[in-house]
Amino acid sequence: MKNIIKSAIYIVSTPIGNLGDISKRAIEVLQQVDEIAAEDTRHSKQLLMHLGINTPLIALHEHNERAQAENLIARVKDGKAIALISDAGTPLISDPGYHLVRNAYAAGVRVIPIPGACAVTCALSVSGLATDRFCFEGFLASKASARLEQLQSLINETRTMVFYEAPHRIVATLTAMSQVFGSDRDITIARELTKQFETIYTGSLQQVLDFVQSDPQQQRGEFVLVVAGAELQSTNSEISEEVARMLQILMSQLSVKQAASLAAEISGVSKNQLYEAALRIKDSGTQNSSQ
Ligand code: SAM
């Protein structure tokens, strides 16, 4: 076994269900570090027992992260090696660790990733939806009105969108998505990934909603929702998809005129043509958001 570098913080991914998904390198690091910071020490003890690892565990969760981060960084500066794990998957992905990593860099401490399972990439890889560009939206707000507002802000998002969702909100969220994005928008629902009751179901939002509502079993467990992005407006056919996308990005920060002018300078397409296209994009955005 190769000795690990001391005086470093290791961000170690653990399985999201199937315990076979831990890497050899993750096991070596967890064996050799001086301490493992874990979101829930009782939960992580089970994993460590399964792996035959006796490294001491300490708690690092959202309520003590700032204080604990300082404490851990001080120990690393004294020559110790620390690993951070979360209950499942990759730390910091909808899990604690942000303050630890940020403060570690501020203190000149090395941070080393030990990659592995993550529900986002796991779901995307089997979604059958475009994966060349995607955005991760994490958990939507639990309050219905705030959730609707968040979804409305994504109405013109052309990248594939990935969401985490809890079982008691799955039907409400699919219903809200169907209202905002339209019932025929494609979605893949990935439930209980890598576990016994893994279900991956692809269809329109209406089909997936019907599937989930028709079977209470499908409303249990852990979920990732992968939603197709909005179609780039076909009315922009005279400009390429790439230029239309650039125009959309510029329009999120600038006036129509400024965006068209800058896009023309970058792309070489005529300013008038881009101005027309920008107005059409703006119009279609206004129509969508008033639906
Ligand atoms: N850090 C984790 C990761 O790398 O994916 C995510 C932690 S977040 C607190 C937990 C959420 O991730 C769950 O509510 C669910 O949305 C998603 N998730 C985690 N494991 C999953 C699985 N096996 N199947 C489907 N979704 C999962």
Side-chain angles (χ1 to χ4, degrees):
M1 187 194 308
K2 202 171 158 217
N3 283 341
I4 61 161
I5 298 166
K6 287 283 185 175
S7 282
I9 295 176
Y10 289 83
I11 306 297
V12 181
S13 299
T14 57
I16 57 168
N18 189 320
L19 295 181
D21 291 336
I22 185 125
S23 75
K24 184 167 169 277
R25 190 162 165 240
I27 296 172
E28 286 176 2
V29 167
L30 294 176
Q31 274 168 341
Q32 291 185 49
V33 289
D34 297 289
E35 279 169 332
I36 300 171
E39 196 183 353
D40 176 344
T41 51
R42 272 189 306 180
H43 176 94
S44 294
K45 201 164 180 63
Q46 304 291 321
L47 173 71
L48 296 186
M49 269 167 58
H50 167 82
L51 298 170
I53 294 173
N54 303 315
T55 310
L57 278 163
I58 46 168
L60 183 143
H61 42 70
E62 58 174 327
H63 305 296
N64 74 352
E65 183 176 348
R66 283 169 193 264
Q68 195 65 291
E70 275 187 33
N71 175 14
L72 292 174
I73 289 165
R75 284 194 248 191
V76 173
K77 289 196 112 175
D78 276 347
K80 300 257 189 271
I82 306 275
L84 173 70
I85 59 176
S86 59
D87 286 354
T90 302
L92 281 88
I93 307 302
S94 296
D95 269 338
Y98 167 76
H99 295 289
L100 178 66
V101 173
R102 197 157 173 86
N103 293 348
Y105 287 132
V109 161
R110 183 161 175 192
V111 182
I112 301 176
I114 307 294
C118 177
V120 179
T121 46
C122 184
L124 259 177
S125 69
V126 293
S127 68
L129 299 175
T131 52
D132 53 343
R133 289 201 186 99
F134 66 89
C135 59
F136 174 53
E137 290 292 320
F139 289 97
L140 289 164
S142 51
K143 219 171 133 209
S145 55
R147 187 168 54 211
L148 210 56
E149 233 172 79
Q150 277 176 304
L151 290 173
Q152 269 156 356
S153 75
L154 293 167
I155 209 158
N156 288 325
E157 178 55 70
T158 53
R159 293 171 295 181
T160 297
M161 296 169 275
V162 186
F163 302 85
Y164 282 166
E165 196 45 281
H168 59 283
R169 281 199 292 266
I170 192 69
V171 170
T173 292
L174 288 171
T175 306
M177 283 179 169
S178 181
Q179 276 167 10
V180 175
F181 299 141
S183 56
D184 56 356
R185 180 79 70 95
D186 283 339
I187 176 172
T188 294
I189 186 167
R191 182 177 84 93
E192 294 288 273
L193 287 163
T194 78
K195 303 188 211 176
Q196 189 182 358
F197 296 109
E198 178 179 88
T199 313
I200 296 152
Y201 191 86
T202 297
S204 67
L205 267 162
Q206 188 60 56
Q207 286 167 331
V208 170
L209 187 55
D210 290 345
F211 170 71
V212 170
Q213 274 182 315
S214 66
D215 181 0
Q217 207 48 43
Q218 293 303 329
Q219 297 166 31
R220 301 214 172 102
E222 299 193 280
F223 295 89
V224 183
L225 307 179
V226 187
V227 183
E231 298 260 332
L232 275 174
Q233 300 305 313
S234 54
T235 41
N236 299 325
S237 53
E238 76 269 35
I239 58 171
S240 70
E241 265 193 16
E242 204 181 320
V243 173
R245 189 170 153 67
M246 170 171 63
L247 198 52
Q248 271 186 322
I249 293 169
L250 291 171
M251 283 170 65
S252 67
Q253 306 289 332
L254 303 169
S255 70
V256 167
K257 204 169 158 197
Q258 287 168 322
S261 171
L262 196 53
E265 232 174 273
I266 301 168
S267 65
V269 177
S270 97
K271 204 191 291 184
N272 280 348
Q273 200 179 345
L274 288 172
Y275 186 67
E276 296 284 310
L279 287 178
R280 283 194 300 271
I281 292 174
K282 194 170 172 223
D283 277 347
S284 70
T286 319
Q287 274 165 19
N288 280 342
S289 58
S290 61
Q291 272 168 11

